[in-house]
Amino acid sequence: MNLRSSLVLTAALTAASCVAVPEIKGDWPAPSLGGRQPLVIAHRGASGELPEHTLAAYERAIVHGADCIEPDLVMTKDGVLIDRHDIYLSTTTDVADRPEFASRKRLATDKDHEGREDWFASDFTLAEIRTLRARQPFDTRSKSFDGLYEVPTFEEVLDLAASRTTITGSKICVYPEAKAPSLHASLGFDMGGEILRLLKNKGLDKPGAPVFIQSFEPDFVREMNSRTKLPVVMLAGDMNALSEAMSKPGAPYWDGLGVTHRMLFNEAGESSGVIEASHAAGIPVHVWTYRDDAPFGSEPIEDSMSKALKLGADGLFADFPATARRVVREMTPGRFSDPS
Ligand code: G3P
Ligand code: CA
C-alpha cells in the first residue's frame, strides 16, 4: 500500500465505530488490538490432516488448540446451510463416483464459475448430500480418511462447538463464511437470514457471543452489519478488493478485517500499514492462510506466523492449528500448560 492509500484507509477506518467482539485477554507482547492474545482460527477445521469441513476435522482442530473453527457455507436445494468451501462438489466429495447423480452434472450458470462443469450443492437436497462422503482435495495430503465422513450442516457445527471447550476451557468460537451470497440470492436464498436464524436458535445472537460472520462480498457485509450486532468481517484478497469495499457508503461497515498474508508487507518487507490503519479504527485484523505444507517461499511457516503476530495480527487462519497454537504459545509470557 502506498502512503496516500494508507492515509485514506487510516482516516476512513478511524471514523468507524465497533461492536463487541469475542475477547481472549492475555499478557500479549505484540501490538494486537487491546493487547489481546491472537485467535487461532482452524481454517476449514484441521484441514491439513483430515478432509476439510467435516465434524472430525473441526473436532481435531479443537483438540489441537483452536480458539475458533471456520465453516465455509453454501446452500442445498432445500435451503439448508452446509459446510463446503465451493458451490460445487466434485473436489471435496465422492459425487463423481455416484452413478445415481451422473445426470446432475452441468455447466455453471454464473460468471465466477463460467465454463465449469460439475455437480452443484444447490441442485441437491440435504438428504442427497448426506449420501456423499468427504474427500481430501489437496493431492499432497493424506487420502486415508476419504470416504469416512459426511458433509455436515452449519447447525451441526454450532452444536459441536457448544458441546466442547478450548484447551484452556473457553467457549469455542464459530467463524462462518457465507460463500457466494449474491449467487445464492439469485437462486432465491437469503443466506444471511438463515445464518442469523440458526445462531438465534442456539442463543448466539447477542453481542459478545463467540461468533464472527465473514464474507468476500462487500454488499453482503454491509447488509449483515445492519441486520446483526454480531461482529461481521470483511474479507479482502488484495488491496484492490479492500479499496472496493472502502468505496461503498458507510465504510468501514465491518467489525473485523480478514486479509491475505500478502497484504501485510510491502515489497521491501516492511509493514504495508493495513494492520496499523485498521487498529487505529479499533478493528481487529485476522490473516489467512497459514499451511505447514505450503509455506511462503523458503520461510518456515512458523516464522511467517510469528512475523504477522509481531506486526499486530489479531488472529491467524491455519490449516494446521496445532502449529499456530505452538507459535502463539511460544510468544506468550509465562506460557500456560496444556491439560494432559
Ligand atoms: O475466510 C478466510 C479464508 O478462509 C478465505 O479463503 O478461500 O479459504 O475461504 P478461503
Ligand atoms: Ca473461508
Side-chain angles (χ1 to χ4, degrees), residues 9 22 39 87 89 111 113 146-147 153 201 205 215 220 239 250 294 315-316 319 327 332-333 335:
L9 182 63
L39 295 170
I87 61 168
L89 299 166
K111 243 185 152 193
H113 299 88
D146 287 10
T153 63
N201 280 353
D205 57 334
S215 175
F220 179 81
M239 291 310 299
L316 302 177
D319 283 12
V327 171
T332 305
R335 299 177 201 176

Side-chain angles (χ1 to χ4, degrees), residues 13-298:
L13 288 174
T14 304
S17 62
C18 283
V19 300
V21 296
E23 282 188 20
I24 294 183
K25 292 198 183 295
D27 182 15
W28 184 247
S32 65
L33 198 60
R36 289 174 210 130
Q37 190 180 94
L39 295 170
V40 172
I41 306 157
H43 185 247
R44 313 181 193 175
S47 57
E49 298 188 8
L50 293 171
E52 67 186 42
H53 293 313
T54 58
L55 293 179
Y58 300 130
E59 290 204 77
R60 184 166 296 189
I62 293 167
V63 171
H64 283 189
D67 296 303
C68 302
I69 51 178
E70 190 223 14
D72 292 323
L73 300 175
V74 301
M75 295 195 88
T76 64
K77 187 178 182 178
D78 43 348
V80 181
L81 288 166
I82 59 168
D83 297 28
R84 290 293 92 187
H85 178 265
D86 302 301
I87 61 168
Y88 53 86
L89 299 166
S90 68
T91 50
T92 62
T93 76
D94 58 358
V95 68
D97 295 340
R98 299 299 187 93
E100 67 273 32
F101 296 132
S103 63
R104 305 278 183 97
K105 193 176 187 184
R106 66 167 173 84
L107 271 173
T109 51
D110 66 301
K111 243 185 152 193
D112 287 347
H113 299 88
E114 199 172 347
R116 181 163 198 108
E117 204 176 359
D118 213 304
W119 292 262
F120 295 88
S122 58
D123 293 339
F124 290 73
T125 64
L126 178 64
E128 290 170 334
I129 294 280
R130 288 298 204 192
T131 70
L132 305 177
R133 292 295 176 269
R135 280 188 177 170
Q136 171 56 257
F138 286 73
D139 286 340
T140 51
R141 292 177 174 173
S142 172
K143 309 274 186 195
S144 306
F145 304 94
D146 287 10
L148 294 183
Y149 307 120
E150 293 182 4
V151 173
T153 63
F154 179 43
E155 184 168 20
E156 288 171 330
V157 179
L158 294 175
D159 289 341
L160 170 68
S163 73
R164 302 285 194 278
T165 62
T166 69
I167 57 172
T168 51
S170 299
K171 288 180 179 171
I172 301 289
C173 128
V174 184
Y175 206 129
E177 181 187 346
K179 286 293 186 189
S182 56
L183 172 62
H184 283 95
S186 74
L187 299 174
F189 295 123
D190 174 11
M191 276 191 108
E194 186 59 9
I195 290 170
L196 294 178
R197 186 185 74 79
L198 288 170
L199 290 171
K200 187 172 183 187
N201 280 353
K202 306 292 177 187
L204 293 169
D205 57 334
K206 306 284 184 312
V211 174
F212 292 91
I213 299 168
Q214 48 168 341
S215 175
F216 279 103
E217 294 191 12
D219 289 339
F220 179 81
V221 170
R222 270 183 83 211
E223 181 198 326
M224 291 301 279
N225 195 39
S226 68
R227 291 176 81 173
T228 179
K229 296 268 187 268
L230 292 169
V232 185
V233 175
M234 183 75 243
L235 297 175
D238 56 33
M239 291 310 299
N240 289 338
L242 182 54
S243 295
E244 190 199 331
M246 288 296 299
S247 72
K248 307 260 180 189
Y253 36 82
W254 51 86
D255 310 297
L257 183 62
V259 298
T260 169
H261 63 94
R262 285 183 291 274
M263 291 167 68
L264 299 186
F265 301 98
N266 63 22
E267 281 176 12
E270 300 153 343
S271 171
S272 66
V274 166
I275 290 182
E276 293 88 334
S278 193
H279 282 182
I283 296 176
V285 180
H286 299 160
V287 188
W288 37 276
T289 299
Y290 294 89
R291 297 180 157 122
D292 291 19
D293 52 1
F296 315 146
S298 57

